[in-house]
Amino acid sequence: MAQISASQVKELRERTGAGMMDCKAALTEAGGDFEEAVKVLRKKGLAAAGKKAGRIATEGLVHVHVAGSTAVLAEVNCETDFVAKTDDFRTFVSDVAALIASSGVKSVEELMKVKWPDDPENHNVEQVISEKVARMGENVSVRRFASYRAGDHGLIGHYVHGNGRIGVVVELGAGNAVLKPQIENVAREIAMHIAASEPRYVKREEAPASDLDTEKEIARDQALKSGKPEAVVEKIVAGKMEKFYAETALLEQPFVRDDKVTVAQYLLKQQNETDTKLEVRRFARFKLGEGLQKREDNFAAEVMAQAGQ
């Protein structure tokens, strides 16, 4: 049996991130062959990753990557805030967003099959994530992304709030071929507004009929239950719908920097000052973990359970 030195264990641990006892066992199994020991750990690590993949991951990072006229907004999740704050995780998220931009993929499923850049073993994204899961000890997943490439006479504004808790990208159309710095600032201001005010559509015409029908039904039901006569009910419903648009349509929302004007009025003012026709073409807003079920495990109890107590 080959003698396994402490320096070998230390080197293997630094390369793989695995525990000391796991490294020693892998070296012993591999007869002291370092590269073979790496493979042993990788195989075991991938098996462990599979067990972790079902665990709820609601922490993580929302990140924006901008390259020229392309911007990618991506949410990558992990299980704890502790891991989310590590340089390793943050670098990984940044690399994922950059890869989305350069590869042009349209879905997370497509992304999983893309080869990871400069990987000596030619792994794809899915395999790299599995290795991250094994090394970090937590489930890691790319949840979603939005990729925007500015069209003709357009530019991308972006904003990330709360150290990666909320992220926004917005495409602003500008009529002039020469984009002025002031217009770039307008795009950022609109992105900041979207982060704060949570619009659902750019303008009221984009609201799906199903959403409008639901709001009208609720408003009508409330008015009827309050005893209002039928003739008044429709006026109440119309008023409720105007309030709905003011809350959900970006252009009709009060502007966060000056709530005496709407976003549309703010844009008109900037349009006059820059002599440039301005329009919001589209936007995406991600809030970290929204719609996901939060873990309610008692951490201390989990540790005790794993210790067999």
Side-chain angles (χ1 to χ4, degrees), residues 53-75:
R55 302 208 307 230
I56 300 172
T58 57
E59 291 296 334
L61 195 65
V62 175
H63 178 78
V64 176
H65 172 84
V66 179
S69 61
T70 298
V72 169
L73 175 66
E75 178 183 352

Side-chain angles (χ1 to χ4, degrees), residues 27-80:
L27 283 164
T28 300
E29 183 177 336
D33 185 309
F34 189 88
E35 294 300 326
E36 187 61 29
V38 171
K39 290 182 181 179
V40 169
L41 283 174
R42 181 165 291 161
K43 290 175 181 177
K44 292 182 177 179
L46 291 175
K51 295 177 183 178
K52 297 181 180 76
R55 302 208 307 230
I56 300 172
T58 57
E59 291 296 334
L61 195 65
V62 175
H63 178 78
V64 176
H65 172 84
V66 179
S69 61
T70 298
V72 169
L73 175 66
E75 178 183 352
V76 181
N77 299 123
C78 58
E79 294 181 54
T80 65

Side-chain angles (χ1 to χ4, degrees), residues 63-66 71-74 146-148 156-159 167-171 187 191 194 282-286:
H63 178 78
V64 176
H65 172 84
V66 179
V72 169
L73 175 66
S147 182
Y148 284 4
I156 301 294
H158 63 92
Y159 175 69
V168 173
V169 291
V170 55
E171 182 182 358
I194 293 168
R282 54 181 174 163
F283 70 85
R285 179 187 186 275
F286 290 171

